[in-house]
């Protein structure tokens, strides 16, 4: 597969300036991150915080059984997860961001950050298993160590920044260039900020 040029802005600094705020991100001089991917996550997280009193952020990684040129398999899976969250937990406003990465392996993999109503789900243990079961026929799911953040009024100053730092790893430039030209390397929800 041909390596694609990316039109997104690469930053090599360990900080991002977003809406006048300087925020530390997971970055290195070696690989850089895409500013637009980090900014999109921050916007969705802040929108979720404006909607819900408490927010649960869950980070997961998905391998896929067979290489695909498109993201249809993962996009369809995300639609199913969103419908499931509505049915099982009565969560209508689901925030999320996923990225597609493909490096030396023969198949791509996906990183996902779910941003959920923390009043409906306080801990992701049960949800993670349900998501794993739903993905099982398509591939494997990895739950990273310390895969979630529960943000409320008592810890918002610290855990909001921790969740951004963790999710900023998904924005790394490495692994994003190997894809067909019409295939997106990331996608996120469109939650609107509640003023």
């Amino acid at each position: 597969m041909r390596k694609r040029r990316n039109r997104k802005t690469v930053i090599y600094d360990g900080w991002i300036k977003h809406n006048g705020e300087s925020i530390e991100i997971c970055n290195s001089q070696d690989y850089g991150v895409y500013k637009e991917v980090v900014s999109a996550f921050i916007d969705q997280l802040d929108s979720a915080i404006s909607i819900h009193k408490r927010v649960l952020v869950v980070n997961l990684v998905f391998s896929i059984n067979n290489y695909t040129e498109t993201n249809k398999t993962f996009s369809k899976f995300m639609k199913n997860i969103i419908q499931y969250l509505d049915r099982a937990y009565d969560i209508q406003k689901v925030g999320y961001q996923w990225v597609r990465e493909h490096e030396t392996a023969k198949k791509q993999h996906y990183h996902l950050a779910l941003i959920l109503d923390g009043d409906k789900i306080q801990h992701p243990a049960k949800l993670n298993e349900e998501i794993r079961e739903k993905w099982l026929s398509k591939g494997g799911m990895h739950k990273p160590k310390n895969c979630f953040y529960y943000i409320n009024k008592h810890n918002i100053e610290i855990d909001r920044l921790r969740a951004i730092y963790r999710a900023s790893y998904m924005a790394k430039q490495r692994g994003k260039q190997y894809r067909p030209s019409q295939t997106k390397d990331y996608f996120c929800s469109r939650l609107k900020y509640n003023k």
Side-chain angles (χ1 to χ4, degrees), residues 59-62 74 97-101 103 109-113 144 169-170 172 176:
N59 298 284
L60 301 168
V61 182
F62 298 86
F74 200 77
Q97 182 177 60
W98 59 256
V99 299
R100 172 189 173 121
E101 291 186 356
E103 295 181 55
H109 65 275
Y110 295 90
H111 292 261
L112 170 67
Y169 175 79
M170 296 193 315
K172 69 184 182 296
K176 305 285 191 303

Side-chain angles (χ1 to χ4, degrees), residues 7-10 16 33-41 97 186:
R7 291 186 166 85
K8 292 186 280 302
T9 308
V10 179
I16 187 171
V33 299
Y34 289 123
K35 181 179 183 180
E36 293 81 356
V37 179
V38 178
S39 294
F41 176 81
Q97 182 177 60
Y186 85 102

Side-chain angles (χ1 to χ4, degrees), residues 107-125:
K107 302 168 282 194
Q108 77 270 22
H109 65 275
Y110 295 90
H111 292 261
L112 170 67
L114 279 172
I115 309 167
L116 306 170
D117 182 345
D119 282 334
K120 305 281 175 75
I121 306 175
Q122 290 85 38
H123 192 280

Side-chain angles (χ1 to χ4, degrees), residues 57-173:
V57 180
V58 183
N59 298 284
L60 301 168
V61 182
F62 298 86
S63 60
I64 193 163
N65 289 334
N66 302 304
Y67 169 80
T68 59
E69 297 224 333
T70 69
N71 296 316
K72 285 181 185 171
T73 301
F74 200 77
S75 294
K76 186 176 177 186
F77 170 70
M78 281 305 304
K79 284 180 187 171
N80 291 339
I81 292 300
I82 290 166
Q83 290 169 352
Y84 171 76
L85 287 165
D86 185 14
R87 280 192 319 271
Y89 294 95
D90 192 31
I91 300 175
Q92 287 87 36
K93 295 187 177 179
V94 177
Y96 66 89
Q97 182 177 60
W98 59 256
V99 299
R100 172 189 173 121
E101 291 186 356
H102 188 185
E103 295 181 55
T104 56
K106 293 180 180 178
K107 302 168 282 194
Q108 77 270 22
H109 65 275
Y110 295 90
H111 292 261
L112 170 67
L114 279 172
I115 309 167
L116 306 170
D117 182 345
D119 282 334
K120 305 281 175 75
I121 306 175
Q122 290 85 38
H123 192 280
K126 181 180 173 195
L127 177 64
N128 287 346
E129 285 311 307
E130 291 161 344
I131 291 173
R132 182 191 309 275
E133 285 293 317
K134 291 181 181 314
W135 181 253
L136 201 54
S137 65
K138 297 162 194 63
M141 186 189 93
H142 170 66
K143 184 182 69 170
K145 188 176 178 187
N146 305 320
C147 74
F148 74 96
Y149 298 89
Y150 188 73
I151 302 169
N152 60 40
K153 66 180 181 180
H154 302 294
N155 67 11
I156 189 169
E157 298 293 322
I158 295 168
D159 280 1
R160 173 183 168 268
L161 296 176
R162 286 179 178 161
I164 293 168
Y165 183 87
R166 176 66 167 269
S168 67
Y169 175 79
M170 296 193 315
K172 69 184 182 296
Q173 179 180 220

Side-chain angles (χ1 to χ4, degrees), residues 14-18 21-25 42 160-161 164:
W15 298 84
I16 187 171
K17 195 90 158 161
H18 185 76
E21 180 183 17
S22 275
I23 302 172
E24 187 177 10
I25 57 174
I42 296 170
R160 173 183 168 268
L161 296 176
I164 293 168

